[in-house]
Coordinates of all heavy atoms in Angstrom, one line a residue:
Q1 N -15.7 -0.3 -0.1 CA -16.1 -1.2 -1.2 C -15.2 -2.5 -1.0 O -14.1 -2.4 -0.7 CB -15.8 -0.6 -2.5 CG -16.8 0.5 -2.9 CD -16.4 1.0 -4.3 OE1 -15.2 1.3 -4.5 NE2 -17.3 1.1 -5.2
E2 N -15.9 -3.6 -1.3 CA -15.1 -4.8 -1.3 C -15.8 -5.9 -2.2 O -17.0 -6.0 -2.3 CB -15.2 -5.4 0.2 CG -14.4 -6.6 0.4 CD -14.4 -7.1 1.8 OE1 -14.7 -6.3 2.7 OE2 -14.0 -8.2 2.1
T3 N -14.9 -6.6 -3.0 CA -15.3 -7.7 -3.8 C -14.3 -8.8 -3.4 O -13.4 -8.7 -2.6 CB -15.3 -7.4 -5.3 OG1 -13.9 -7.2 -5.7 CG2 -16.1 -6.1 -5.6
D4 N -14.4 -9.9 -4.2 CA -13.4 -11.0 -4.0 C -12.0 -10.6 -4.4 O -11.1 -11.2 -3.9 CB -13.9 -12.2 -4.8 CG -15.1 -12.9 -4.2 OD1 -15.4 -12.7 -3.0 OD2 -15.8 -13.6 -5.0
S5 N -11.9 -9.6 -5.2 CA -10.5 -9.3 -5.7 C -10.2 -7.8 -5.5 O -9.2 -7.3 -6.0 CB -10.4 -9.6 -7.2 OG -11.3 -8.9 -7.9
Y6 N -11.0 -7.1 -4.7 CA -10.8 -5.6 -4.6 C -11.2 -5.2 -3.2 O -12.3 -5.6 -2.7 CB -11.5 -4.9 -5.6 CG -11.4 -3.3 -5.5 CD1 -10.3 -2.7 -6.0 CD2 -12.4 -2.6 -4.9 CE1 -10.2 -1.3 -5.8 CE2 -12.4 -1.2 -4.8 CZ -11.3 -0.6 -5.2 OH -11.2 0.8 -5.1
L7 N -10.4 -4.3 -2.6 CA -10.8 -3.7 -1.3 C -10.4 -2.3 -1.3 O -9.3 -1.9 -1.7 CB -10.0 -4.4 -0.1 CG -10.2 -3.8 1.2 CD1 -11.6 -4.0 1.7 CD2 -9.2 -4.5 2.2
Y8 N -11.4 -1.4 -0.9 CA -11.1 0.0 -0.8 C -11.4 0.4 0.6 O -12.4 0.0 1.2 CB -12.1 0.8 -1.7 CG -12.1 2.3 -1.4 CD1 -11.1 3.1 -1.9 CD2 -13.1 2.8 -0.6 CE1 -11.1 4.5 -1.6 CE2 -13.1 4.2 -0.3 CZ -12.1 5.0 -0.8 OH -12.1 6.3 -0.5
C9 N -10.5 1.2 1.2 CA -10.8 1.7 2.6 C -10.2 3.1 2.7 O -9.4 3.6 1.9 CB -10.2 0.7 3.6 SG -8.5 0.3 3.4
Q10 N -10.6 3.8 3.8 CA -10.2 5.1 4.1 C -9.5 5.1 5.5 O -10.0 4.4 6.4 CB -11.3 6.1 4.1 CG -12.0 6.2 2.8 CD -13.3 7.1 2.9 OE1 -13.7 7.5 4.0 NE2 -13.8 7.5 1.7
F11 N -8.5 5.9 5.6 CA -7.8 6.2 6.8 C -7.9 7.7 7.1 O -7.7 8.5 6.3 CB -6.4 5.8 6.8 CG -6.1 4.3 6.7 CD1 -6.1 3.6 5.5 CD2 -5.9 3.6 7.9 CE1 -5.9 2.3 5.5 CE2 -5.7 2.2 7.8 CZ -5.7 1.5 6.6
E12 N -8.3 8.0 8.4 CA -8.4 9.4 8.8 C -7.3 9.7 9.8 O -7.2 9.0 10.8 CB -9.8 9.6 9.4 CG -10.0 11.1 9.8 CD -11.4 11.3 10.3 OE1 -12.3 10.4 10.2 OE2 -11.7 12.4 10.8
S13 N -6.6 10.8 9.6 CA -5.6 11.2 10.5 C -6.3 11.7 11.8 O -7.4 12.3 11.8 CB -4.7 12.4 10.0 OG -5.5 13.5 9.8
M14 N -5.6 11.4 12.9 CA -6.2 11.7 14.2 C -6.2 13.2 14.6 O -7.1 13.7 15.2 CB -5.5 10.9 15.3 CG -5.8 9.4 15.2 SD -4.9 8.3 16.3 CE -4.8 9.2 17.8
K15 N -5.2 13.9 14.1 CA -5.0 15.3 14.5 C -5.9 16.2 13.7 O -6.6 17.1 14.2 CB -3.6 15.7 14.4 CG -2.7 15.1 15.5 CD -1.3 15.6 15.5 CE -0.5 15.0 16.5 NZ 0.9 15.5 16.5
K16 N -5.9 16.1 12.4 CA -6.5 17.1 11.5 C -7.7 16.5 10.7 O -8.4 17.2 10.0 CB -5.5 17.7 10.6 CG -4.4 18.4 11.3 CD -4.2 19.8 10.8 CE -3.0 20.4 11.6 NZ -2.9 21.8 11.5
G17 N -7.9 15.2 10.8 CA -9.0 14.6 10.1 C -8.8 14.4 8.6 O -9.8 14.2 7.9
F18 N -7.6 14.5 8.1 CA -7.3 14.3 6.7 C -7.6 12.8 6.3 O -7.4 11.9 7.1 CB -5.9 14.6 6.3 CG -5.5 16.0 6.5 CD1 -4.4 16.4 7.3 CD2 -6.2 17.0 5.8 CE1 -4.1 17.7 7.4 CE2 -5.8 18.4 6.0 CZ -4.8 18.7 6.8
I19 N -8.2 12.7 5.1 CA -8.6 11.3 4.6 C -7.6 10.8 3.6 O -7.2 11.6 2.7 CB -10.0 11.3 4.0 CG1 -11.0 11.9 5.0 CG2 -10.4 10.0 3.5 CD1 -11.3 11.0 6.2
D20 N -7.1 9.6 3.7 CA -6.3 8.9 2.8 C -7.1 7.8 2.2 O -7.8 7.1 2.9 CB -5.0 8.4 3.4 CG -4.1 9.5 3.8 OD1 -4.2 10.7 3.4 OD2 -3.1 9.2 4.6
D21 N -7.0 7.6 0.9 CA -7.6 6.5 0.2 C -6.6 5.3 0.0 O -5.5 5.6 -0.4 CB -8.2 6.9 -1.2 CG -9.2 8.0 -1.0 OD1 -10.2 7.8 -0.3 OD2 -9.1 9.0 -1.7
V22 N -7.0 4.1 0.3 CA -6.2 2.9 0.1 C -7.0 1.9 -0.6 O -8.1 1.6 -0.3 CB -5.7 2.4 1.5 CG1 -4.7 1.2 1.3 CG2 -5.0 3.5 2.3
E23 N -6.3 1.3 -1.7 CA -7.0 0.3 -2.5 C -6.0 -0.9 -2.6 O -4.8 -0.7 -2.7 CB -7.3 0.8 -3.9 CG -8.3 2.0 -3.9 CD -8.5 2.5 -5.2 OE1 -7.7 3.4 -5.7 OE2 -9.4 2.1 -5.9
F24 N -6.6 -2.1 -2.6 CA -5.9 -3.3 -2.8 C -6.6 -4.1 -3.9 O -7.8 -4.3 -3.8 CB -5.9 -4.2 -1.6 CG -5.2 -3.5 -0.4 CD1 -6.0 -2.8 0.5 CD2 -3.9 -3.7 -0.1 CE1 -5.4 -2.2 1.6 CE2 -3.3 -3.1 1.0 CZ -4.1 -2.3 1.8
A25 N -5.9 -4.5 -4.9 CA -6.5 -5.3 -6.0 C -5.7 -6.6 -6.3 O -4.5 -6.5 -6.4 CB -6.6 -4.5 -7.3
L26 N -6.4 -7.7 -6.3 CA -5.8 -9.0 -6.6 C -5.9 -9.2 -8.1 O -7.0 -9.3 -8.6 CB -6.5 -10.1 -5.8 CG -6.0 -11.5 -6.0 CD1 -4.6 -11.7 -5.4 CD2 -7.0 -12.5 -5.4
V27 N -4.8 -9.4 -8.8 CA -4.8 -9.5 -10.2 C -3.9 -10.7 -10.6 O -3.0 -11.1 -9.9 CB -4.3 -8.2 -11.0 CG1 -5.2 -7.1 -10.7 CG2 -2.8 -7.9 -10.6
P28 N -4.2 -11.3 -11.8 CA -3.3 -12.4 -12.2 C -1.9 -11.9 -12.4 O -1.6 -10.8 -13.0 CB -3.9 -12.9 -13.5 CG -5.3 -12.4 -13.5 CD -5.3 -11.1 -12.7
A29 N -0.9 -12.7 -12.0 CA 0.5 -12.3 -12.2 C 1.0 -12.7 -13.6 O 0.4 -13.5 -14.3 CB 1.4 -13.1 -11.2
S30 N 2.0 -12.0 -14.0 CA 2.7 -12.3 -15.3 C 3.4 -13.7 -15.0 O 3.4 -14.2 -13.9 CB 3.7 -11.3 -15.7 OG 4.7 -11.1 -14.7
S31 N 3.9 -14.3 -16.1 CA 4.5 -15.6 -15.9 C 5.6 -15.7 -14.9 O 5.7 -16.6 -14.2 CB 5.0 -16.1 -17.3 OG 6.0 -15.2 -17.7
K32 N 6.3 -14.6 -14.7 CA 7.3 -14.6 -13.7 C 7.4 -13.1 -13.2 O 7.8 -12.2 -14.0 CB 8.7 -15.0 -14.2 CG 9.7 -15.4 -13.1 CD 10.8 -16.2 -13.6 CE 11.2 -17.1 -12.4 NZ 12.0 -18.2 -12.8
N33 N 7.1 -12.9 -11.9 CA 7.1 -11.5 -11.5 C 8.5 -11.1 -11.0 O 9.5 -11.8 -11.0 CB 6.1 -11.3 -10.4 CG 6.2 -12.2 -9.2 OD1 7.3 -12.5 -8.8 ND2 5.1 -12.7 -8.7
K34 N 8.6 -9.8 -10.5 CA 10.0 -9.3 -10.2 C 10.7 -10.0 -9.1 O 11.9 -10.1 -9.0 CB 9.8 -7.8 -9.7 CG 9.5 -6.9 -10.8 CD 9.3 -5.4 -10.3 CE 9.0 -4.5 -11.4 NZ 8.8 -3.1 -11.0
S35 N 9.9 -10.6 -8.2 CA 10.6 -11.3 -7.1 C 11.1 -12.7 -7.5 O 11.8 -13.4 -6.7 CB 9.6 -11.5 -5.9 OG 8.5 -12.3 -6.3
G36 N 10.8 -13.1 -8.7 CA 11.4 -14.3 -9.2 C 10.5 -15.6 -8.9 O 10.9 -16.7 -9.3
N37 N 9.4 -15.4 -8.2 CA 8.6 -16.6 -7.9 C 7.5 -16.8 -9.0 O 7.4 -15.9 -9.8 CB 8.1 -16.5 -6.5 CG 7.2 -15.3 -6.3 OD1 6.5 -14.9 -7.2 ND2 7.3 -14.7 -5.1
N38 N 6.8 -17.8 -8.9 CA 5.8 -18.1 -9.9 C 4.4 -18.0 -9.3 O 3.5 -18.9 -9.5 CB 6.0 -19.5 -10.4 CG 7.2 -19.6 -11.3 OD1 7.4 -18.7 -12.1 ND2 8.1 -20.5 -11.1
N39 N 4.1 -17.0 -8.5 CA 2.8 -16.9 -7.9 C 1.8 -16.6 -9.0 O 2.0 -16.0 -10.0 CB 2.8 -15.7 -6.9 CG 3.6 -15.9 -5.7 OD1 3.8 -17.0 -5.3 ND2 4.0 -14.8 -5.1
K40 N 0.6 -17.1 -8.8 CA -0.5 -17.0 -9.8 C -1.1 -15.6 -9.7 O -1.7 -15.1 -10.7 CB -1.6 -18.0 -9.5 CG -1.1 -19.4 -9.8 CD -2.2 -20.4 -9.6 CE -1.7 -21.8 -9.9 NZ -2.7 -22.8 -9.8
Y41 N -1.0 -14.9 -8.6 CA -1.6 -13.6 -8.4 C -0.7 -12.7 -7.7 O 0.2 -13.1 -7.0 CB -2.9 -13.7 -7.5 CG -4.0 -14.5 -8.2 CD1 -4.1 -15.8 -7.9 CD2 -4.9 -13.9 -9.1 CE1 -5.1 -16.6 -8.5 CE2 -5.9 -14.6 -9.7 CZ -6.0 -16.0 -9.4 OH -7.0 -16.7 -10.0
V42 N -0.9 -11.4 -7.9 CA -0.2 -10.3 -7.2 C -1.2 -9.4 -6.6 O -2.3 -9.3 -7.1 CB 0.9 -9.6 -8.0 CG1 2.0 -10.5 -8.5 CG2 0.2 -8.9 -9.2
I43 N -0.8 -8.6 -5.6 CA -1.7 -7.6 -5.1 C -1.1 -6.3 -5.4 O 0.0 -6.0 -5.1 CB -1.9 -7.8 -3.5 CG1 -2.5 -9.1 -3.2 CG2 -2.7 -6.6 -3.0 CD1 -2.7 -9.4 -1.8
L44 N -1.9 -5.5 -6.1 CA -1.6 -4.1 -6.4 C -2.1 -3.2 -5.3 O -3.3 -3.4 -4.8 CB -2.2 -3.7 -7.7 CG -1.8 -4.5 -8.9 CD1 -2.5 -4.0 -10.2 CD2 -0.3 -4.6 -9.1
V45 N -1.3 -2.2 -4.9 CA -1.7 -1.4 -3.8 C -1.6 0.1 -4.2 O -0.6 0.5 -4.8 CB -0.8 -1.6 -2.5 CG1 -1.2 -0.7 -1.4 CG2 -0.8 -3.0 -2.1
R46 N -2.6 0.9 -3.8 CA -2.6 2.3 -4.0 C -3.0 3.0 -2.7 O -4.0 2.6 -2.1 CB -3.6 2.7 -5.1 CG -3.7 4.2 -5.3 CD -4.8 4.6 -6.3 NE -5.1 6.0 -6.2 CZ -5.9 6.6 -5.4 NH1 -6.6 5.8 -4.5 NH2 -6.1 7.9 -5.4
S47 N -2.1 3.9 -2.2 CA -2.4 4.6 -1.0 C -2.1 6.1 -1.3 O -1.0 6.4 -1.7 CB -1.5 4.1 0.1 OG -1.8 4.8 1.3
A48 N -3.1 7.0 -1.2 CA -2.9 8.4 -1.6 C -3.7 9.3 -0.7 O -4.8 9.0 -0.2 CB -3.3 8.5 -3.0
S49 N -3.1 10.4 -0.4 CA -3.7 11.5 0.3 C -4.7 12.2 -0.6 O -4.4 12.4 -1.8 CB -2.7 12.5 0.8 OG -1.8 11.9 1.6
R50 N -5.8 12.6 -0.1 CA -6.8 13.4 -1.0 C -6.4 14.8 -1.2 O -6.7 15.4 -2.2 CB -8.2 13.3 -0.3 CG -8.8 12.0 -0.4 CD -10.2 12.1 0.1 NE -10.9 10.8 0.0 CZ -12.1 10.6 0.5 NH1 -12.8 11.6 0.9 NH2 -12.6 9.4 0.4
L51 N -5.7 15.4 -0.2 CA -5.3 16.8 -0.3 C -3.8 17.0 -0.3 O -3.1 16.3 0.3 CB -5.9 17.6 0.9 CG -7.4 17.6 1.1 CD1 -7.8 18.2 2.4 CD2 -8.1 18.3 -0.1
G52 N -3.4 18.0 -1.0 CA -2.0 18.4 -1.0 C -1.1 17.5 -1.9 O -1.6 16.6 -2.6
F53 N 0.2 17.8 -1.9 CA 1.1 17.2 -2.7 C 2.0 16.2 -1.9 O 2.7 15.4 -2.5 CB 2.1 18.2 -3.4 CG 1.3 19.0 -4.4 CD1 1.0 20.3 -4.1 CD2 0.9 18.5 -5.6 CE1 0.3 21.1 -5.0 CE2 0.2 19.2 -6.6 CZ -0.1 20.5 -6.3
T54 N 2.0 16.3 -0.6 CA 2.8 15.4 0.2 C 2.1 15.1 1.5 O 1.3 15.9 2.0 CB 4.2 16.0 0.5 OG1 5.0 15.1 1.2 CG2 4.1 17.3 1.3
D55 N 2.4 14.0 2.1 CA 1.9 13.6 3.4 C 3.0 13.3 4.3 O 2.8 12.8 5.4 CB 0.9 12.4 3.3 CG 1.6 11.1 2.9 OD1 2.9 11.2 2.6 OD2 1.0 10.1 2.8
F56 N 4.2 13.7 3.9 CA 5.4 13.5 4.8 C 5.7 12.1 5.2 O 6.2 11.8 6.2 CB 5.4 14.4 6.0 CG 5.2 15.9 5.6 CD1 3.9 16.5 5.7 CD2 6.2 16.6 5.1 CE1 3.7 17.8 5.4 CE2 6.0 18.0 4.8 CZ 4.8 18.5 4.9
G57 N 5.4 11.2 4.2 CA 5.7 9.8 4.4 C 4.6 9.0 5.2 O 4.8 7.8 5.4
V58 N 3.5 9.6 5.5 CA 2.4 8.9 6.3 C 1.9 7.6 5.5 O 1.8 6.5 6.1 CB 1.3 9.8 6.6 CG1 0.1 9.0 7.2 CG2 1.7 10.9 7.6
N59 N 1.7 7.7 4.2 CA 1.2 6.6 3.4 C 2.3 5.5 3.4 O 2.0 4.3 3.5 CB 0.7 7.0 2.0 CG -0.7 7.6 2.0 OD1 -1.6 6.9 2.4 ND2 -0.8 8.9 1.7
A60 N 3.5 5.9 3.2 CA 4.6 4.9 3.1 C 4.7 4.2 4.5 O 4.9 2.9 4.5 CB 5.9 5.6 2.8
V61 N 4.6 4.9 5.6 CA 4.7 4.3 6.9 C 3.6 3.3 7.1 O 3.7 2.2 7.5 CB 4.7 5.3 8.0 CG1 4.6 4.7 9.4 CG2 6.0 6.1 7.9
R62 N 2.4 3.7 6.6 CA 1.2 2.8 6.7 C 1.4 1.5 5.9 O 1.2 0.4 6.4 CB -0.1 3.5 6.2 CG -1.3 2.6 6.3 CD -2.5 3.3 5.7 NE -2.8 4.5 6.5 CZ -2.8 5.8 6.0 NH1 -2.5 6.0 4.7 NH2 -3.1 6.8 6.7
L63 N 1.8 1.7 4.7 CA 2.0 0.5 3.8 C 3.2 -0.4 4.3 O 3.1 -1.6 4.2 CB 2.3 0.9 2.4 CG 1.1 1.6 1.7 CD1 1.5 2.0 0.2 CD2 -0.1 0.7 1.6
N64 N 4.2 0.2 4.9 CA 5.3 -0.6 5.4 C 4.8 -1.3 6.7 O 5.3 -2.5 6.9 CB 6.5 0.3 5.8 CG 7.3 0.7 4.6 OD1 7.3 0.0 3.6 ND2 8.1 1.8 4.7
Y65 N 3.9 -0.8 7.4 CA 3.4 -1.5 8.6 C 2.6 -2.7 8.1 O 2.7 -3.8 8.6 CB 2.5 -0.5 9.4 CG 1.8 -1.3 10.5 CD1 2.5 -1.6 11.7 CD2 0.5 -1.6 10.4 CE1 1.8 -2.3 12.7 CE2 -0.2 -2.3 11.4 CZ 0.5 -2.6 12.6 OH -0.1 -3.3 13.6
I66 N 1.7 -2.5 7.1 CA 0.9 -3.6 6.6 C 1.8 -4.7 6.0 O 1.6 -5.9 6.3 CB -0.1 -3.1 5.5 CG1 -1.2 -2.2 6.2 CG2 -0.8 -4.2 4.8 CD1 -2.0 -1.4 5.2
A67 N 2.8 -4.2 5.3 CA 3.8 -5.2 4.7 C 4.5 -6.0 5.8 O 4.7 -7.2 5.6 CB 4.8 -4.5 3.8
S68 N 4.9 -5.3 6.8 CA 5.7 -6.0 7.9 C 4.8 -7.1 8.5 O 5.3 -8.2 8.9 CB 6.2 -5.0 8.9 OG 5.1 -4.5 9.7
K69 N 3.5 -6.8 8.7 CA 2.6 -7.8 9.3 C 2.4 -9.0 8.3 O 2.4 -10.2 8.8 CB 1.3 -7.2 9.6 CG 1.3 -6.2 10.7 CD 1.7 -6.9 12.0 CE 1.7 -5.9 13.2 NZ 2.2 -6.6 14.4
L70 N 2.3 -8.7 7.0 CA 2.2 -9.8 6.1 C 3.4 -10.6 6.0 O 3.4 -11.9 5.8 CB 1.8 -9.3 4.7 CG 0.4 -8.6 4.6 CD1 0.2 -7.9 3.3 CD2 -0.7 -9.7 4.8
R71 N 4.6 -10.0 6.1 CA 5.9 -10.8 6.1 C 6.0 -11.6 7.3 O 6.3 -12.8 7.2 CB 7.1 -9.8 6.1 CG 7.4 -9.3 4.7 CD 8.8 -8.6 4.7 NE 8.8 -7.4 5.5 CZ 8.5 -6.2 5.1 NH1 8.2 -5.9 3.9 NH2 8.6 -5.2 6.0
A72 N 5.7 -11.1 8.5 CA 5.9 -11.8 9.8 C 4.8 -12.9 10.0 O 5.1 -14.0 10.4 CB 5.8 -10.8 10.9
D73 N 3.6 -12.5 9.7 CA 2.5 -13.5 10.0 C 2.2 -14.5 8.9 O 1.6 -15.5 9.1 CB 1.2 -12.7 10.3 CG 1.3 -11.8 11.5 OD1 2.3 -11.9 12.2 OD2 0.5 -10.9 11.7
H74 N 2.5 -14.1 7.6 CA 2.1 -15.0 6.5 C 3.3 -15.4 5.6 O 3.0 -16.0 4.5 CB 1.0 -14.4 5.7 CG -0.2 -14.1 6.6 ND1 -1.1 -15.1 7.0 CD2 -0.7 -12.9 7.1 CE1 -2.0 -14.5 7.8 NE2 -1.8 -13.2 7.8
G75 N 4.5 -14.9 5.8 CA 5.6 -15.3 5.0 C 5.7 -14.6 3.7 O 6.4 -15.1 2.8
W76 N 5.0 -13.5 3.5 CA 4.9 -12.8 2.2 C 6.3 -12.2 1.9 O 7.0 -11.8 2.8 CB 3.9 -11.7 2.2 CG 2.5 -12.2 2.1 CD1 2.0 -13.4 2.6 CD2 1.4 -11.6 1.5 NE1 0.7 -13.5 2.4 CE2 0.3 -12.4 1.6 CE3 1.3 -10.4 0.8 CZ2 -1.0 -12.1 1.1 CZ3 0.0 -10.1 0.3 CH2 -1.1 -10.9 0.4
T77 N 6.6 -12.0 0.6 CA 7.8 -11.3 0.2 C 7.3 -10.0 -0.3 O 6.7 -9.9 -1.4 CB 8.5 -12.1 -0.9 OG1 8.8 -13.4 -0.5 CG2 9.7 -11.4 -1.4
I78 N 7.6 -8.9 0.4 CA 7.2 -7.6 0.1 C 8.3 -6.6 0.4 O 8.9 -6.6 1.4 CB 6.0 -7.1 0.9 CG1 4.8 -8.1 0.8 CG2 5.5 -5.7 0.5 CD1 3.7 -7.9 1.8
A79 N 8.7 -5.8 -0.6 CA 9.8 -4.9 -0.5 C 9.3 -3.7 0.4 O 8.1 -3.3 0.3 CB 10.2 -4.3 -1.8
E80 N 10.2 -3.1 1.1 CA 9.9 -1.9 2.0 C 9.9 -0.7 1.1 O 10.7 -0.6 0.2 CB 10.9 -1.8 3.1 CG 10.5 -0.7 4.0 CD 10.8 -1.0 5.5 OE1 10.6 -2.2 5.9 OE2 11.1 -0.1 6.2
I81 N 9.1 0.3 1.4 CA 9.1 1.6 0.7 C 10.1 2.4 1.5 O 9.9 2.7 2.7 CB 7.7 2.2 0.8 CG1 6.7 1.3 0.0 CG2 7.7 3.6 0.2 CD1 5.2 1.7 0.2
T82 N 11.1 2.9 0.7 CA 12.1 3.8 1.3 C 12.2 5.0 0.5 O 11.8 5.1 -0.6 CB 13.5 3.0 1.4 OG1 13.9 2.9 0.0 CG2 13.4 1.7 2.1
P83 N 12.9 6.1 1.1 CA 13.1 7.3 0.3 C 13.9 7.0 -1.0 O 13.8 7.7 -2.0 CB 13.9 8.2 1.3 CG 13.5 7.7 2.6 CD 13.3 6.2 2.5
E84 N 14.8 6.0 -0.9 CA 15.6 5.6 -2.1 C 14.8 5.0 -3.2 O 15.0 5.2 -4.4 CB 16.8 4.8 -1.7 CG 17.8 5.4 -0.9 CD 17.4 5.6 0.6 OE1 16.6 4.8 1.1 OE2 17.8 6.6 1.2
T85 N 13.8 4.1 -2.8 CA 13.0 3.4 -3.8 C 11.8 4.1 -4.3 O 11.3 3.9 -5.4 CB 12.6 2.0 -3.3 OG1 11.8 2.2 -2.1 CG2 13.9 1.2 -3.0
H86 N 11.2 5.0 -3.4 CA 10.0 5.6 -3.7 C 10.1 7.1 -3.2 O 9.4 7.5 -2.3 CB 8.8 4.9 -3.1 CG 8.6 3.5 -3.6 ND1 9.3 2.5 -3.2 CD2 7.7 3.1 -4.5 CE1 8.8 1.4 -3.8 NE2 7.9 1.7 -4.6
R87 N 10.9 7.9 -3.9 CA 11.2 9.2 -3.4 C 9.9 10.1 -3.2 O 9.8 10.9 -2.3 CB 12.1 9.9 -4.3 CG 12.6 11.3 -3.9 CD 13.6 11.9 -4.7 NE 13.1 11.9 -6.1 CZ 13.9 11.9 -7.2 NH1 15.2 11.8 -7.1 NH2 13.3 12.0 -8.4
D88 N 8.9 9.9 -4.1 CA 7.7 10.7 -4.1 C 6.9 10.5 -2.8 O 6.2 11.4 -2.4 CB 6.8 10.5 -5.3 CG 7.5 11.0 -6.6 OD1 8.4 11.8 -6.5 OD2 7.0 10.6 -7.6
Y89 N 7.0 9.4 -2.2 CA 6.3 9.2 -0.9 C 6.8 10.0 0.2 O 6.2 10.2 1.2 CB 6.4 7.7 -0.5 CG 5.3 6.8 -1.1 CD1 5.5 6.1 -2.2 CD2 4.0 6.8 -0.4 CE1 4.5 5.3 -2.7 CE2 3.0 6.0 -0.9 CZ 3.3 5.2 -2.1 OH 2.3 4.4 -2.6
W90 N 8.1 10.4 0.1 CA 8.7 11.1 1.3 C 9.0 12.6 1.1 O 9.5 13.2 2.0 CB 10.1 10.4 1.5 CG 9.9 8.9 1.8 CD1 10.0 7.9 0.9 CD2 9.6 8.3 3.0 NE1 9.8 6.7 1.5 CE2 9.5 6.9 2.8 CE3 9.4 8.8 4.3 CZ2 9.2 6.0 3.8 CZ3 9.0 7.8 5.3 CH2 9.0 6.5 5.0
T91 N 8.6 13.1 -0.1 CA 8.9 14.6 -0.3 C 7.7 15.4 -0.1 O 6.6 14.9 0.0 CB 9.4 14.8 -1.7 OG1 8.5 14.3 -2.6 CG2 10.8 14.2 -1.9

């Protein structure tokens, strides 16, 4: 699914065929967001496994990869997902 402000996609693992759902939504930013800048919009991201309680960090690694490309190629400011900041992604 895709609109001007929303993107849904699926990722399938190569070994076992598990499906992960990933969503991106462009929404108006509050007057000043956590990074301290005055962007008009922020992108909300959801990445989740369909089965089980853990994916052993696969979704975090995927989001960190996407974030690294946005930082390098477009100068975005995006925090990395780590076991310290997002423990549930890694357990």
Side-chain angles (χ1 to χ4, degrees):
Q1 288 179 312
E2 183 175 346
T3 69
D4 289 340
S5 61
Y6 176 81
L7 174 65
Y8 168 83
C9 52
Q10 297 176 348
F11 289 87
E12 182 177 352
S13 67
M14 292 173 41
K15 290 185 179 180
K16 302 230 179 193
F18 295 123
I19 303 292
D20 292 344
D21 298 305
V22 182
E23 298 175 275
F24 301 90
L26 180 68
V27 299
S30 61
S31 59
K32 195 163 215 164
N33 57 38
K34 289 182 182 179
S35 63
N37 58 36
N38 291 313
N39 292 338
K40 292 182 181 180
Y41 295 94
V42 295
I43 296 178
L44 303 178
V45 180
R46 176 186 166 273
S47 182
S49 302
R50 287 188 181 176
L51 299 174
F53 293 104
T54 183
D55 67 356
F56 304 102
V58 171
N59 280 298
V61 169
R62 177 183 302 116
L63 293 178
N64 283 337
Y65 174 78
I66 293 168
S68 72
K69 292 297 184 185
L70 292 170
R71 279 192 297 270
D73 298 347
H74 302 286
W76 285 34
T77 302
I78 306 169
E80 184 142 328
I81 298 170
T82 68
E84 292 77 28
T85 61
H86 296 81
R87 184 176 57 207
D88 290 345
Y89 271 96
W90 303 95
T91 56

